[in-house]
């Protein structure tokens, strides 16, 4: 028997629930969740049957413990009218920012992962959300589900661009949006480009001055496109004209 050197650390032994206590013995007639498997069925040729049930039919128990149910579940009542959970599977999802952050406390630095996600169906509905967790995948999942609960409907002219030019300021970020003709494309900041793609805006140009912080740019874009646009109905009501006259004057409508 090999003798252990003085001062050497003892080897660690993996402990199994139900077997790590002295004086206890696992009942061999029962199936242990970690040590055993269900008996495999074989056919006449000795091949394994693919229909043999698994020990965990859906997912290991640890997955349910690690989930944050409040951030994973999206209630259909919180979605805009006419949308269901099946519609959310077809949405475009863009992770604009994924970075590592640290929270300085008296116990030291506590690292975590931060994610900023934008989702949209490409037909005038989009939303953004933030998520923070110890793992990247879970942070992105939290941000995606929060974005699903914060969907906003956007007005588009001819289903491709904005109705008019917009100048908007959000804190230290200044953005100018310009309506463009068909075929112009999206020529703008890369964050705004991804947001417009999720919304379904195909022709637009934008310029950002001041702070280019991703969160400020995203919030300024959503705020400007959802609140700062004046529709033909609003302009006609304010000028005392018909909607047809406003569309002919401002948008070159033929009728």
């Amino acid at each position: 028997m090999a003798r252990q050197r003085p001062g050497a650390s003892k080897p660690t032994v993996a402990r199994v629930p139900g077997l790590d206590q002295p004086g206890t013995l696992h009942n061999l007639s029962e199936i242990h969740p970690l040590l055993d498997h269900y008996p495999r069925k074989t056919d006449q040729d000795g091949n394994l049957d693919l229909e043999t049930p698994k020990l965990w039919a859906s997912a290991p128990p640890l997955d349910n413990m690690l989930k944050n149910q409040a951030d994973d579940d999206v209630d259909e009542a919180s979605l805009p009218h006419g949308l269901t959970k099946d519609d959310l599977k077809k949405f475009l999802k863009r992770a604009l920012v994924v970075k590592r952050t640290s929270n300085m406390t008296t116990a030291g630095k506590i690292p975590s992962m931060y994610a900023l996600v934008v989702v949209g169906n490409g037909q005038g509905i989009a939303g953004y959300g933030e998520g923070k967790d110890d793992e990247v995948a879970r942070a992105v999942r939290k941000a995606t589900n929060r974005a699903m609960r914060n969907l906003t409907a956007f007005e588009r002219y001819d289903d491709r661009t904005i109705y008019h030019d917009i100048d908007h300021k959000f804190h230290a970020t200044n953005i100018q949006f310009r309506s463009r003709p068909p075929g112009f494309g999206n020529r703008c900041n890369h964050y705004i480009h991804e947001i417009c793609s999720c919304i379904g805006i195909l022709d637009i140009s934008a310029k950002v001055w001041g702070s280019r912080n991703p969160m400020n740019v995203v919030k300024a874009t959503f705020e400007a496109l959802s609140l700062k646009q004046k529709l033909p109905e609003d302009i006609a009501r304010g000028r005392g004209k018909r909607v047809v006259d406003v569309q002919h004057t401002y948008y070159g409508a033929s009728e």
Side-chain angles (χ1 to χ4, degrees):
M1 181 176 179
R3 300 177 60 183
Q4 187 176 2
R5 294 180 300 174
S9 59
K10 297 183 179 180
T12 57
V13 180
R15 296 185 178 276
V16 181
L19 298 181
D20 53 353
Q21 300 179 0
T24 60
L25 182 63
H26 176 62
N27 188 1
L28 300 180
S29 63
E30 299 178 356
I31 297 179
H32 195 276
L34 297 179
L35 300 180
D36 302 328
H37 300 275
Y38 284 113
R40 295 284 183 174
K41 298 179 181 179
T42 57
D43 54 13
Q44 297 179 355
D45 299 333
N47 299 323
L48 292 177
D49 187 4
L50 299 179
E51 300 299 330
T52 302
K54 297 181 180 179
L55 189 59
W56 291 306
S58 57
L62 290 179
D63 283 4
N64 296 328
M65 297 170 57
L66 296 176
K67 277 188 187 178
N68 188 342
Q69 298 293 342
D71 290 322
D72 288 342
D73 296 337
V74 179
D75 188 9
E76 291 189 359
S78 62
L79 300 177
H81 179 69
L83 288 180
T84 61
K85 288 186 177 181
D86 294 335
D87 298 332
L88 300 182
K89 298 178 181 179
K90 304 177 183 178
F91 271 46
L92 301 175
K93 303 174 182 64
R94 299 288 186 269
L96 302 185
V97 180
V98 177
K99 63 180 181 180
R100 181 180 181 273
T101 60
S102 296
N103 183 22
M104 192 63 187
T105 63
T106 55
K109 293 184 179 180
I110 302 178
S112 61
M113 301 303 299
Y114 168 85
L116 171 62
V117 177
V118 174
V119 301
N121 64 348
Q123 299 177 0
I125 297 179
Y128 71 93
E130 298 176 279
K132 185 178 289 188
D133 204 286
D134 296 339
E135 299 179 3
V136 177
R138 290 164 59 188
V140 173
R141 185 178 62 208
K142 287 183 180 180
T144 302
N145 290 311
R146 288 171 183 171
M148 293 293 186
R149 290 195 291 266
N150 297 327
L151 295 177
T152 306
F154 296 86
E155 298 290 343
R156 298 175 297 161
Y157 173 68
D158 201 15
D159 292 339
R160 61 172 184 81
T161 186
I162 57 179
Y163 278 86
H164 54 82
D165 298 344
I166 302 174
D167 295 338
H168 184 61
K169 180 179 180 181
F170 181 83
H171 295 292
T173 301
N174 294 275
I175 303 182
Q176 290 184 353
F177 297 94
R178 297 293 179 260
S179 176
R180 294 306 180 191
F184 185 85
N186 293 341
R187 306 181 189 179
C188 47
N189 180 281
H190 57 284
Y191 296 119
I192 302 177
H193 185 281
E194 296 294 345
I195 295 174
C196 292
S197 299
C198 293
I199 296 175
I201 297 177
L202 306 178
D203 303 306
I204 193 175
S205 64
K207 180 66 177 178
V208 182
W209 281 279
S211 173
R212 289 178 173 83
N213 180 273
M215 198 64 227
N216 283 354
V217 174
V218 171
K219 287 185 177 181
T221 302
F222 273 84
E223 191 174 283
L225 297 181
S226 60
L227 302 178
K228 295 297 182 177
Q229 288 197 80
K230 293 183 179 180
L231 303 181
E233 295 81 2
D234 300 333
I235 298 176
R237 190 181 304 109
R239 295 180 180 271
K241 296 183 179 181
R242 297 181 302 173
V243 178
V244 177
D245 298 335
V246 172
Q247 289 180 344
H248 178 76
T249 303
Y250 289 91
Y251 308 110
S254 58
E255 298 180 358

